Amino acid sequence: MNVNDSVTKQKFDNLYCCRESILDGLKRTTDMMFGGKQVVVCGYGEVGKGCCAALKAMGSIVYVTEIDPICALQACMDGFRLVKLNEVIRQVDIVITCTGNKNVVTREHLDRMKNSCIVCNMGHSNTEIDVASLRTPELTWERVRSQVDHVIWPDGKRIVLLAEGRLLNLSCSTVPTFVLSITATTQALALIELYNAPEGRYKQDVYLLPKKMDEYVASLHLPTFDAHLTELTDEQAKYLGLNKNGPFKPNYYRCRSLQRRVPSAASPRGGRGDWVGTAVSE
Amino acid sequence: MNVNDSVTKQKFDNLYCCRESILDGLKRTTDMMFGGKQVVVCGYGEVGKGCCAALKAMGSIVYVTEIDPICALQACMDGFRLVKLNEVIRQVDIVITCTGNKNVVTREHLDRMKNSCIVCNMGHSNTEIDVASLRTPELTWERVRSQVDHVIWPDGKRIVLLAEGRLLNLSCSTVPTFVLSITATTQALALIELYNAPEGRYKQDVYLLPKKMDEYVASLHLPTFDAHLTELTDEQAKYLGLNKNGPFKPNYYRCRSLQRRVPSAASPRGGRGDWVGTAVSE
Amino acid sequence: MNVNDSVTKQKFDNLYCCRESILDGLKRTTDMMFGGKQVVVCGYGEVGKGCCAALKAMGSIVYVTEIDPICALQACMDGFRLVKLNEVIRQVDIVITCTGNKNVVTREHLDRMKNSCIVCNMGHSNTEIDVASLRTPELTWERVRSQVDHVIWPDGKRIVLLAEGRLLNLSCSTVPTFVLSITATTQALALIELYNAPEGRYKQDVYLLPKKMDEYVASLHLPTFDAHLTELTDEQAKYLGLNKNGPFKPNYYRCRSLQRRVPSAASPRGGRGDWVGTAVSE
Amino acid sequence: MNVNDSVTKQKFDNLYCCRESILDGLKRTTDMMFGGKQVVVCGYGEVGKGCCAALKAMGSIVYVTEIDPICALQACMDGFRLVKLNEVIRQVDIVITCTGNKNVVTREHLDRMKNSCIVCNMGHSNTEIDVASLRTPELTWERVRSQVDHVIWPDGKRIVLLAEGRLLNLSCSTVPTFVLSITATTQALALIELYNAPEGRYKQDVYLLPKKMDEYVASLHLPTFDAHLTELTDEQAKYLGLNKNGPFKPNYYRCRSLQRRVPSAASPRGGRGDWVGTAVSE
């Protein structure tokens, strides 16, 4: 069962956690000041959105690169200039990758960065920055502290490479216990569901966590915030065609809200049985 | 074809448009000042998120009510106190509904509001506020200007009801041409697709707009912002298992980013042909 | 007595009021969407700070021009690119002046703006935009609605000029009653003070409102927000050397930017020689 | 010469620096997550404003306490509930002092805090939290890591006290080199001015840094941000009555809150009678 793509876990692992860990990771490694710094964030998915929001709030000037026009338009509407990396690479103070892609930052980009530019990766692997291309004889590496390398060009220019291009949030920041709790709860519930499921509910395939369990994970964490959930009245539940205990969103729902909830024959949130997973690959 | 649930249209109609029209609608009707005002927003879907973000930015203190624990947790993480309406109804200056539900604001709530509280609806119909319950002999209605009624209690208390409980953003604000352009483009492309589709692609059912067309709508609007999209290299497209021209997200994707894009056998974004719609009700 | 420069009135007239009226004025005149728009704000005093904060929050990309290095550094730290007007004039969608200066936007700037660029003034007079320079035979003026003119170049380019260069917030927006209350209270208290003052307290000169009265105006408006002020204990008042009832700040305290720079006989910034220190305790 | 009260140094030491160091200090000591946490900030001067803005941006729910009605009204307009400490002490997750006052957090407050509440000081001395009151036999102190103590009540409740009530930003965070540069430049220029000043310019007194030097410090740091200052034309300088090279603001201009309220012989807020106006032109 693919617990990674449950809404609650995704939002916490990516958006909410990265919003904080990008600041934390940069501070612990470089003690830099964010105010007034020019930053380019490659990729405007959940991780990119978190990084951009945090840095904008701290007074950085943030540029975004994207390949997907929908995410690109979101970046525009959120107030970020959408650029190609080449357009800003000479002027930025920080480069952050969050794409899940490879070779997003190439040697050519690294060659053109200005002195003391900081380069780090918040994406999913160590491929986003072409670190291998920096292992050449003309460049000198200097380890200035744990997880921080200065890569020095023949003309004296230094690039500050964090965590050797591996994940900054895992290498140079800490994971709050709250996020661990979300993750562990999600995994535990998935195992319980698989164990208890009647034969035939799950075939040999990859499934998304049923929406109702996803909602249950969230509800278990609300008391931490002294948050009070509203309950549907019988009349409202009937009007919306929902069970009073959820699930409140269709299984295919991922982080948005389907404002227009008027039920209809063709509605995607029909009378599914509860806790039945949808195969991701169907 | 259900164009309403395309990502681009949804985001613009709901999140981005409402972020602006909630302010515009309130200003044009009441000339109120937002700074320091206490506001409760019922519902934290896209519309609610837009309203909350705008009012928070203008210095209002915003409370949120929700029935869905996942949206509720998002409200917490975004810095809003999650309450039941009863807890704050006596103290708030403004009540805004964005639920798609009915009777969210009842006569009992209206009775308990403080003098000059403003009540309005940003949701999807005129059912969210129980306006009918205000048509009783002991209450006096006074039309103070177009779309603005004072409902006066026997003790002199006045509630400011906007647009008689109908949609504030449609009644008291304007729709920017940019949003109309997004909508019209989406609808036109859907019609073209239906007209051109080979026989058998669409059965008698409700379909979501194919992801690639959704992305196309977005890409057509990027030049307005002088936004420059990055293109995948051949190597990157192969690594991600994507066509260089998109679609970049699976059809089931709705507004989030699937950061972890490592392709696998079970990946939801396999080698689908292009522009093939997915039936919502499948 | 110069009530204009009291802290409370200044903050409300400039920062807090303009934060809202810039959005209101633009919406009512142009129905434009703020998200993704590129805006240049000339001047980063209180008015400029309010405009920048509001537009940034609505998803605009904001550039700032300044002549004063201290205000300029503040703009940087708040996340705005500090530019000269010439650098961005070709690309911006909106130009807003808040300088108190004259001819900040010249005919040359207007000639270089792109089609449908919006030009407006939030500063203190109608001199900031050189509107007179647009009254030439080759340009056509078209009144499209109240307070909105299209100025049309021979090649068809149109500039959208609001309020003929006069104050946008006065001409195209409304002033909330709360702001009027602050202003009226300040003026009334100043008159009472002048009337009651023992002979000799005030000579024929321009005086700032005493800090304690400024604080009194503020305290009278706190109950609107259900705001609860903390009182000093005797021990704390003694420790701070303050009277428990204020004033809590010295008379010279002004947390503002002196937008109104027009010199006058009574101006506080007379012809001092340069680099002459002011004794703190004078 | 009192370099502490120069605008540039004040803004950096207090507002901009604390905006970042409050997050940094809390992360390094507690690894907590900010999203959804309830925080009370005591004091809404520059330091308090910085702390509040940062935590609000990270998704915390922030309450403010103040004694000064002007600062209190600013907190309201910035979207923070103004409360007395007693009103929220049972529910908050974090208590931060930034008052310059003493015994703002008393043993009584500490007794009423909930389990695992974090208490820290961003003000100017170690007097703000009554730490001495916690050195009693019934409470157990447990040092959990450097700068972090758990104070344990007989019923098992733990309070997390940071830096034993001393300054969090000095003890548990780092000072960016940029801030040091601002400070050092200001001090160096003050010394140069004192050395070069013609006899008689300075008597034996405490002086504020001349505005022009303050502006010079700022202008020296603009190139770091690739910021381009606009120069006045001759015509504009004449219109404003300013020298083209500054100073652009009068000497009495201070956009800050005088956090450090401890009175001293040289204090600018000596024993003035109340409600005595200050001549603007003196």
Side-chain angles (χ1 to χ4, degrees):
Chain A
M1 188 164 294
N2 172 1
V3 292
N4 245 340
D5 283 347
S6 77
V7 176
T8 308
K9 185 170 179 313
Q10 272 284 347
K11 281 279 178 186
F12 273 88
D13 269 20
N14 295 340
L15 182 62
Y16 301 126
C17 194
C18 290
R19 183 175 67 182
E20 305 195 3
S21 62
I22 182 63
L23 303 184
D24 192 28
L26 287 171
K27 276 285 186 200
R28 293 198 202 213
T29 49
T30 69
D31 295 327
M32 64 172 304
M33 198 168 193
F34 301 123
K37 290 294 189 304
Q38 293 192 60
V39 186
V40 62
V41 174
C42 303
Y44 200 65
E46 293 288 303
V47 174
K49 286 180 174 79
C51 293
C52 287
L55 288 163
K56 183 184 185 183
M58 288 295 111
S60 299
I61 295 159
V62 182
Y63 304 93
V64 170
T65 74
E66 247 300 335
I67 58 162
D68 177 340
I70 292 180
C71 292
L73 200 52
Q74 291 175 23
C76 292
M77 297 306 293
D78 292 341
F80 302 106
R81 293 248 21 212
L82 193 85
V83 298
K84 294 189 186 193
L85 190 49
N86 270 333
E87 298 175 55
V88 295
I89 196 69
R90 279 188 192 284
Q91 78 194 60
V92 292
D93 301 290
I94 314 174
V95 178
I96 303 168
T97 56
C98 337
T99 66
N101 202 343
K102 70 183 283 192
N103 290 346
V104 172
V105 176
T106 64
R107 173 64 190 266
E108 197 187 352
H109 293 131
L110 291 154
D111 282 342
R112 298 176 65 211
M113 289 174 192
K114 72 180 184 190
N115 187 40
S116 77
C117 183
I118 296 167
V119 188
C120 66
N121 173 29
M122 293 282 290
H124 86 291
S125 71
N126 59 354
T127 60
E128 308 210 9
I129 302 162
D130 187 3
V131 174
S133 75
L134 294 173
R135 306 276 186 196
T136 52
E138 78 278 19
L139 302 184
T140 312
W141 285 57
E142 193 177 308
R143 162 75 35 130
V144 294
R145 76 182 78 164
S146 172
Q147 307 288 0
V148 185
D149 288 289
H150 282 189
V151 183
I152 309 168
W153 265 249
D155 64 357
K157 182 184 86 167
R158 284 162 183 257
I159 297 297
V160 182
L161 179 66
L162 303 185
E164 299 181 64
R166 292 186 310 275
L167 282 180
L168 179 73
N169 45 337
L170 296 189
S171 304
C172 312
S173 168
T174 59
V175 179
T177 51
F178 191 80
V179 175
L180 288 181
S181 171
I182 296 268
T183 303
T185 310
T186 306
Q187 288 169 341
L189 282 176
L191 289 174
I192 293 170
E193 163 71 6
L194 287 175
Y195 185 82
N196 286 340
E199 208 172 325
R201 174 177 290 177
Y202 296 104
K203 286 165 291 183
Q204 204 161 351
D205 207 339
V206 177
Y207 289 84
L208 282 174
L209 194 68
K211 182 56 47 187
K212 190 164 181 179
M213 285 168 67
D214 205 350
E215 293 174 357
Y216 185 54
V217 173
S219 72
L220 287 172
H221 288 84
L222 287 176
T224 310
F225 302 113
D226 192 25
H228 305 157
L229 212 56
T230 301
E231 280 181 35
L232 290 174
T233 63
D234 292 335
E235 183 200 24
Q236 290 174 329
K238 192 176 162 201
Y239 177 73
L240 297 174
L242 294 176
N243 186 303
K244 284 174 71 170
N245 301 314
F248 300 99
K249 296 288 189 311
N251 269 316
Y252 78 77
Y253 168 79
R254 305 280 138 205
C255 108
R256 95 206 156 79
S257 277
L258 262 182
Q259 275 305 310
R260 313 290 179 239
R261 291 196 187 104
V262 190
S264 79
S267 160
R269 99 202 61 80
R272 292 283 184 88
D274 67 0
W275 285 32
V276 179
T278 307
V280 180
S281 57
E282 78 177 325
Chain B
M1 188 165 296
N2 171 3
V3 292
N4 243 340
D5 283 348
S6 77
V7 176
T8 308
K9 184 170 181 311
Q10 272 284 345
K11 280 280 178 186
F12 273 88
D13 270 20
N14 296 340
L15 181 61
Y16 300 127
C17 194
C18 291
R19 184 176 65 182
E20 304 195 4
S21 61
I22 181 64
L23 302 183
D24 192 27
L26 287 171
K27 276 284 185 201
R28 293 199 202 211
T29 49
T30 68
D31 295 326
M32 64 172 302
M33 198 170 193
F34 302 123
K37 290 293 189 305
Q38 294 193 59
V39 186
V40 62
V41 174
C42 303
Y44 200 66
E46 293 287 305
V47 174
K49 286 180 174 79
C51 293
C52 287
L55 288 162
K56 184 184 184 183
M58 288 296 111
S60 298
I61 295 159
V62 183
Y63 304 92
V64 171
T65 73
E66 248 299 340
I67 58 161
D68 177 339
I70 292 180
C71 292
L73 200 52
Q74 291 175 25
C76 292
M77 297 307 292
D78 291 341
F80 302 106
R81 292 244 29 209
L82 194 85
V83 298
K84 296 189 185 195
L85 190 49
N86 271 332
E87 297 175 56
V88 295
I89 196 67
R90 280 189 191 284
Q91 78 196 61
V92 292
D93 301 289
I94 313 174
V95 178
I96 302 168
T97 56
C98 336
T99 66
N101 202 344
K102 69 184 282 192
N103 290 345
V104 173
V105 175
T106 64
R107 172 65 189 265
E108 196 188 354
H109 293 130
L110 291 154
D111 283 341
R112 298 177 64 211
M113 289 175 193
K114 71 180 183 190
N115 187 38
S116 78
C117 183
I118 296 166
V119 188
C120 65
N121 172 29
M122 294 283 289
H124 86 290
S125 70
N126 59 354
T127 60
E128 309 210 10
I129 302 163
D130 187 3
V131 174
S133 75
L134 295 174
R135 306 275 186 195
T136 51
E138 79 277 19
L139 302 184
T140 312
W141 285 58
E142 192 178 309
R143 162 76 31 133
V144 294
R145 76 182 79 163
S146 171
Q147 306 289 0
V148 185
D149 288 290
H150 281 189
V151 183
I152 309 168
W153 266 248
D155 65 356
K157 182 184 87 165
R158 285 163 183 258
I159 297 298
V160 183
L161 178 66
L162 304 184
E164 299 181 64
R166 293 186 310 275
L167 281 180
L168 180 73
N169 44 338
L170 296 189
S171 305
C172 313
S173 168
T174 59
V175 179
T177 51
F178 191 80
V179 175
L180 288 182
S181 171
I182 296 266
T183 302
T185 311
T186 306
Q187 288 169 341
L189 282 177
L191 289 174
I192 293 170
E193 163 70 7
L194 287 175
Y195 185 82
N196 287 338
E199 209 173 323
R201 177 178 286 178
Y202 297 104
K203 286 164 291 182
Q204 204 161 350
D205 206 341
V206 177
Y207 289 84
L208 283 173
L209 194 69
K211 183 54 50 187
K212 191 165 180 179
M213 286 168 66
D214 204 352
E215 292 174 356
Y216 186 53
V217 173
S219 71
L220 287 172
H221 289 84
L222 287 176
T224 309
F225 303 113
D226 192 26
H228 305 158
L229 211 56
T230 302
E231 280 181 34
L232 289 174
T233 64
D234 292 335
E235 183 201 23
Q236 289 174 331
K238 192 175 161 202
Y239 177 73
L240 297 174
L242 293 176
N243 187 303
K244 284 174 71 170
N245 300 315
F248 300 101
K249 296 288 188 312
N251 269 316
Y252 78 77
Y253 168 80
R254 305 280 136 204
C255 109
R256 96 207 156 77
S257 275
L258 261 180
Q259 274 306 309
R260 313 289 179 242
R261 293 195 186 107
V262 190
S264 78
S267 161
R269 105 203 53 84
R272 292 279 186 90
D274 67 359
W275 285 30
V276 180
T278 307
V280 179
S281 56
E282 79 177 323
Chain C
M1 189 164 295
N2 171 3
V3 292
N4 245 340
D5 284 347
S6 77
V7 176
T8 307
K9 183 168 181 313
Q10 273 286 344
K11 280 280 177 187
F12 273 87
D13 269 21
N14 295 340
L15 181 61
Y16 301 127
C17 194
C18 291
R19 184 176 66 182
E20 305 195 3
S21 61
I22 182 64
L23 302 183
D24 192 27
L26 287 171
K27 277 284 186 201
R28 293 198 202 212
T29 49
T30 69
D31 295 326
M32 65 172 302
M33 198 169 192
F34 301 123
K37 290 293 189 304
Q38 293 193 58
V39 186
V40 62
V41 174
C42 302
Y44 200 65
E46 293 288 304
V47 174
K49 285 180 175 78
C51 293
C52 287
L55 288 163
K56 183 184 185 183
M58 288 296 112
S60 299
I61 296 159
V62 183
Y63 303 92
V64 170
T65 73
E66 248 300 337
I67 60 162
D68 177 339
I70 292 181
C71 292
L73 201 52
Q74 291 175 23
C76 292
M77 297 306 293
D78 291 341
F80 302 106
R81 292 247 24 212
L82 194 84
V83 298
K84 295 189 186 194
L85 189 50
N86 271 332
E87 297 174 57
V88 294
I89 196 68
R90 280 189 192 285
Q91 78 195 61
V92 292
D93 301 290
I94 313 175
V95 178
I96 302 168
T97 56
C98 335
T99 66
N101 202 343
K102 69 184 282 192
N103 290 346
V104 172
V105 175
T106 64
R107 173 64 190 266
E108 196 187 353
H109 292 131
L110 290 154
D111 283 341
R112 298 177 64 210
M113 290 175 191
K114 71 179 183 190
N115 186 40
S116 78
C117 183
I118 296 167
V119 188
C120 65
N121 172 29
M122 294 282 290
H124 86 292
S125 71
N126 59 355
T127 61
E128 309 210 10
I129 303 163
D130 188 2
V131 174
S133 75
L134 294 174
R135 307 274 186 197
T136 52
E138 79 277 19
L139 302 185
T140 312
W141 285 58
E142 192 178 309
R143 162 77 32 134
V144 295
R145 75 181 79 163
S146 171
Q147 306 289 359
V148 184
D149 288 289
H150 282 190
V151 183
I152 309 170
W153 266 248
D155 64 356
K157 183 184 87 166
R158 284 162 184 258
I159 297 297
V160 182
L161 178 65
L162 303 184
E164 299 182 62
R166 293 186 309 275
L167 282 180
L168 179 73
N169 45 337
L170 296 189
S171 304
C172 312
S173 167
T174 59
V175 178
T177 51
F178 191 80
V179 175
L180 289 181
S181 171
I182 296 266
T183 302
T185 310
T186 306
Q187 288 169 341
L189 282 177
L191 289 173
I192 294 170
E193 163 70 8
L194 287 175
Y195 186 83
N196 287 339
E199 208 173 327
R201 177 178 288 178
Y202 297 103
K203 285 163 291 183
Q204 204 160 351
D205 207 340
V206 177
Y207 288 84
L208 283 173
L209 194 70
K211 183 55 48 189
K212 191 165 180 179
M213 285 168 66
D214 204 352
E215 293 174 356
Y216 186 53
V217 173
S219 71
L220 287 172
H221 288 83
L222 287 176
T224 309
F225 303 113
D226 192 26
H228 305 158
L229 211 57
T230 302
E231 279 181 36
L232 289 173
T233 64
D234 291 336
E235 183 200 24
Q236 289 175 330
K238 192 175 163 204
Y239 177 72
L240 297 174
L242 294 175
N243 186 303
K244 284 175 71 170
N245 301 315
F248 300 101
K249 296 287 189 310
N251 269 317
Y252 78 78
Y253 169 78
R254 309 275 134 199
C255 49
R256 81 204 176 76
S257 284
L258 261 180
Q259 275 304 309
R260 313 285 180 250
R261 293 193 187 106
V262 190
S264 78
S267 162
R269 101 204 59 83
R272 292 284 183 85
D274 67 359
W275 285 34
V276 179
T278 307
V280 179
S281 56
E282 79 175 323
Chain D
M1 188 165 296
N2 172 1
V3 292
N4 244 342
D5 284 345
S6 77
V7 176
T8 308
K9 183 170 181 313
Q10 274 286 344
K11 281 279 178 186
F12 274 87
D13 270 19
N14 296 340
L15 181 61
Y16 301 126
C17 194
C18 290
R19 183 176 67 181
E20 304 195 3
S21 62
I22 182 63
L23 302 184
D24 193 27
L26 286 171
K27 277 284 186 201
R28 293 198 202 212
T29 49
T30 68
D31 295 326
M32 64 171 305
M33 198 168 193
F34 301 123
K37 289 295 189 304
Q38 293 192 60
V39 185
V40 62
V41 174
C42 303
Y44 200 65
E46 293 288 303
V47 174
K49 285 180 175 78
C51 293
C52 287
L55 288 163
K56 183 184 185 183
M58 288 294 111
S60 298
I61 295 159
V62 183
Y63 304 92
V64 170
T65 74
E66 246 302 335
I67 59 162
D68 177 340
I70 292 180
C71 293
L73 201 52
Q74 291 175 23
C76 292
M77 297 306 293
D78 292 340
F80 303 106
R81 293 246 25 210
L82 193 85
V83 298
K84 295 190 185 193
L85 189 50
N86 270 333
E87 298 174 55
V88 295
I89 196 69
R90 280 188 192 284
Q91 77 195 61
V92 292
D93 301 289
I94 313 175
V95 178
I96 302 168
T97 56
C98 337
T99 66
N101 202 342
K102 69 184 281 193
N103 289 346
V104 173
V105 176
T106 64
R107 173 64 189 265
E108 197 187 354
H109 292 131
L110 291 154
D111 283 341
R112 297 177 64 212
M113 289 175 192
K114 72 181 184 189
N115 187 39
S116 78
C117 184
I118 296 167
V119 187
C120 66
N121 173 29
M122 294 283 290
H124 87 292
S125 71
N126 59 354
T127 60
E128 308 209 10
I129 302 162
D130 187 2
V131 174
S133 75
L134 295 173
R135 306 276 186 195
T136 52
E138 79 278 18
L139 302 184
T140 312
W141 285 57
E142 192 178 308
R143 162 75 34 129
V144 295
R145 76 182 78 164
S146 171
Q147 307 288 1
V148 185
D149 288 289
H150 282 189
V151 183
I152 309 169
W153 266 249
D155 65 357
K157 181 184 87 167
R158 284 161 183 260
I159 297 298
V160 182
L161 178 65
L162 303 184
E164 298 181 65
R166 292 186 310 275
L167 282 180
L168 179 73
N169 45 338
L170 296 188
S171 304
C172 313
S173 169
T174 59
V175 179
T177 50
F178 191 80
V179 175
L180 288 181
S181 171
I182 296 267
T183 302
T185 310
T186 306
Q187 288 169 340
L189 282 177
L191 288 174
I192 293 170
E193 163 71 7
L194 287 176
Y195 186 82
N196 287 338
E199 208 173 326
R201 174 177 289 178
Y202 297 104
K203 287 164 288 182
Q204 205 160 350
D205 207 339
V206 176
Y207 290 84
L208 284 173
L209 194 69
K211 182 56 50 185
K212 191 165 181 180
M213 287 168 66
D214 205 351
E215 293 174 357
Y216 185 54
V217 173
S219 72
L220 287 172
H221 288 84
L222 287 176
T224 310
F225 302 113
D226 192 26
H228 305 158
L229 211 57
T230 302
E231 279 180 35
L232 290 174
T233 63
D234 291 336
E235 183 200 23
Q236 289 174 329
K238 193 176 162 202
Y239 177 73
L240 297 174
L242 293 176
N243 187 304
K244 284 174 72 170
N245 301 314
F248 301 100
K249 296 286 190 310
N251 269 316
Y252 77 77
Y253 170 78
R254 309 277 135 201
C255 49
R256 81 206 176 73
S257 283
L258 260 180
Q259 275 305 308
R260 314 284 180 249
R261 296 195 185 102
V262 190
S264 79
S267 161
R269 102 205 57 83
R272 292 279 185 90
D274 68 359
W275 285 32
V276 180
T278 308
V280 180
S281 57
E282 79 177 324

